[in-house]
Amino acid sequence: MQDFRIEVDEHGGSTVLVDGYPQSYVSLDDPELLVFGYVQHLGAVLDSLPDGPVAVTHVGGAAMTLPRYVQATRPGSPQIVLEPDAPLTERVRKELPLPRGHRIRVRPQPGREGVTALKDASADAIVVDAYAESQVPADLTSSEWFAEAARVLRPGGVLAMNVADEPDHRHAARVLAGLAQHLPHTAAIAQVDIWKRRRFGNLVLVGSRQPLLLGSIIRTVARGAFPSTVLEGGALARALGSGRPFTDTDAAPSPRPPTAPGEWRIR
């Protein structure tokens, strides 16, 4: 069983920590506040979708920062959150209640199991931000997993996935290769020092069947608090290097972080 706690800061915001690692930051007074860098990057992808309500499936929930963000920025959006840790969800709902009028449904299921149960072409976006024991589960890294996620996306839908990796980016390269097999228009977002391979950190991988609205994503990322870069095409290939897609027979979880990552602290 995972250990979790909720810490309230001097600004009235709350950080959910799972096994000692910050997983979510929530401000009930300002649900549009995205504090962690990689969460800002995931939000930039969601912001690039056409105006109005969007159907979003979230693989991983914790304090449900992004579902709250989508509800605030696109009221009435139907959202599904796949979060297998039912005790965590119960505590979050009690201490950090969801906004009135939301259409957020939380299902106590692992991500792959939950996505497999969804209908074809039922989501405008899938956001994957799932960790178990501080690692992305292996079954969310394979080509077969991305085939299932692609099935659930509508033709213009996007998948945005938070992955963590060592400075060599070998794991992320293999995950991106599997994503590209099924959603061939790809990009990745990370802080500049991560692209320079200076430290362990988070990269957001993005894929779609149709060309991404990269201009919108780039502009939003440029306004963020953390110096970050969006890469695609040849620049992305050079930054990550080549990788053979994971399959269900050889899939591996993401590398363990060496310590609680500094970029997850509130700045």
Side-chain angles (χ1 to χ4, degrees), residues 11-257:
H11 306 293
S14 299
T15 302
V16 173
L17 297 99
V18 178
D19 294 333
Y21 288 85
Q23 297 293 308
S24 301
Y25 182 90
V26 168
S27 171
L28 296 183
D29 294 332
D30 184 7
E32 295 185 40
L33 175 63
L34 304 179
V35 169
F36 301 159
Y38 70 87
V39 179
Q40 294 176 11
H41 299 161
L42 292 168
V45 177
L46 292 173
D47 288 346
S48 74
L49 295 171
D51 292 341
V54 288
V56 185
T57 294
H58 303 265
V59 179
M64 292 177 272
T65 302
L66 281 172
R68 299 171 195 267
Y69 176 81
V70 172
Q71 170 60 24
T73 58
R74 299 169 182 267
S77 293
Q79 301 185 76
I80 295 171
V81 178
L82 302 171
E83 173 52 70
D85 193 333
L88 172 59
T89 297
E90 182 180 358
R91 184 170 174 186
V92 165
R93 283 188 155 184
K94 180 179 180 180
E95 298 187 28
L96 302 169
L98 291 169
R100 291 184 178 181
H102 72 82
R103 296 181 62 193
I104 301 168
R105 293 178 292 162
V106 184
R107 298 180 180 178
Q109 293 178 294
R112 186 149 174 184
E113 173 187 315
V115 168
T116 299
L118 298 177
K119 295 179 180 179
D120 293 358
S122 59
D124 295 302
I126 296 176
V127 177
V128 186
D129 187 14
Y131 283 77
E133 299 181 353
S134 74
Q135 295 172 278
V136 178
D139 67 351
L140 300 181
T141 67
S142 70
S143 177
E144 292 90 339
W145 149 249
F146 289 116
E148 194 63 28
R151 175 190 64 80
V152 172
L153 283 174
R154 291 169 179 161
V158 297
L159 181 146
M161 180 172 182
N162 172 35
V163 301
D165 203 2
E166 300 283 0
D168 60 19
H169 298 160
R170 286 183 293 181
H171 182 85
R174 295 193 67 179
V175 176
L176 181 69
L179 171 65
Q181 285 185 320
H182 306 282
L183 298 168
H185 295 276
T186 61
I189 314 167
Q191 293 180 34
V192 171
D193 55 348
I194 293 173
W195 283 129
K196 291 182 177 179
R197 304 192 175 206
R198 290 176 177 169
R199 62 178 173 86
F200 183 101
N202 299 82
L203 303 94
V204 169
L205 308 182
V206 188
S208 178
R209 291 190 188 87
Q210 297 182 5
L212 298 163
L213 294 177
L214 283 175
S216 171
I217 296 172
I218 290 169
R219 287 190 295 273
T220 303
V221 168
R223 293 195 298 267
F226 304 89
S228 303
T229 302
V230 183
L231 297 181
E232 64 161 337
L236 177 56
R238 289 189 295 273
L240 284 188
S242 61
R244 176 173 51 85
F246 285 117
T247 69
D248 281 345
T249 59
D250 70 352
S254 63
R256 286 186 179 276

